[in-house]
Amino acid sequence: MNQKLFGIIGQILFLSCLGKCEVQSGATLRCWKDSIYIEFSERFLSDQRIEVTDAKQLHFSGVSECFSNAESGGGYSMTLFPPFKNCGTKVKVSSDKYAYTNEVVFEKETSTTRIFKFQCDYDRKYIVSSDLSLTPVLETLNFVTARGEFGVGMGLYQRSDFNSKSMFSARPTILVGTPVYVSVDVTDTFGMKEIVSTIETCYATDDKNHAIQKLYHHLIVNRCSSPNDDTVQIISNGNSMKARFRFAMFQWKSNVEYFYLHCEIKVCNQTEERCSGVGPVCNGVSDAVDATSRRRRDLGTNEDKISGNKGIITYGPVAIKDKGVEEDFGTGTYEMVYEEIEKDQKFLQIYIFTSIAAVILVVVIIVLIIVLVRKRRAINKQRLESENRSNGSI
């Protein structure tokens, strides 16, 4: 893969600091005990002429799945969790410290640009480990029917527009009080408009197993907002393929650093059963349906978490960051670089040649069709003239 240095704005900047690194450029590095946090302001990206149209364009080098989160106030943030070995992070162990290094890149269709290299050093006397090193749980439920499978997925967003640019990454850190928007989508209903997504219940626990509820926080109960959390607002539930609600990031009463979100989902048929709750906190539905007329469609089962047309879907872990709590533990160093890595052109060349060949093939086929049509018309014309001459001679 070819590499070239395509531009350096000003002098490459090296910065070393304890816990927090922040300069006028608008790039921030935090070396916390429970996370490594990076943030780029809109000003920083604008100054470097980095036009981000999708949060996934900013990611850790070589690992596109570890992409940024769009901040509600503008800019983008990225987070690494202990033991800090994920997302391509490299660790070097010396006699007195752990040094974790990685870099952030900006990806376009034709190129990838290195923009930010960083290192966080932690004293060996601190144990850099946490339950947040657990693999993220991002499930999709599949309901088997006679007409195919209904896929159901869940996503968390930072804004009410539910745009992909505002989607939280696989293991986000969310500040207490921040609004969180949840969407549960049925991915395909095979054109059946009567099939909708219904959230029966939704709750948070400190365990990825939905059945373990020693510590829990209810958000939705019986399709309605939980009376114990007045920040919950149901946007849509049981009306379409997308069931949506919002809540404000809560603080556990006990000392819990993260939670998992569990939602019981129902793939519901509006023509045969009630799919929404009743009342203003339950989607504003007030019409009544005779219980004797309700029938449940048998959608089959293909997972332990699915029973009939219901299933449990889980998202997490979600790390909780309390306001005003900043545990600066390590020493951070970063380098602002602007180095473009050209993508392998082999695939692009193959794509171009294949496209040209396809166009030529289509043109050849069209020409052949035209030739055949004209030839057939000429033959038919000759036959008609021959028949006319034969009729005239008679």
Side-chain angles (χ1 to χ4, degrees), residues 365-380:
I365 292 174
I366 292 174
V367 171
L368 288 175
I369 292 174
I370 292 174
V371 170
L372 289 174
V373 169
R374 289 181 175 177
K375 187 174 182 180
R376 183 177 293 276
R377 286 179 178 176
I379 293 173
N380 290 337

Side-chain angles (χ1 to χ4, degrees), residues 143-150 297-299:
F143 296 88
V144 179
T145 73
R147 300 180 66 172
E149 289 188 1
F150 294 106
R297 297 185 70 184
D298 183 11
L299 295 178

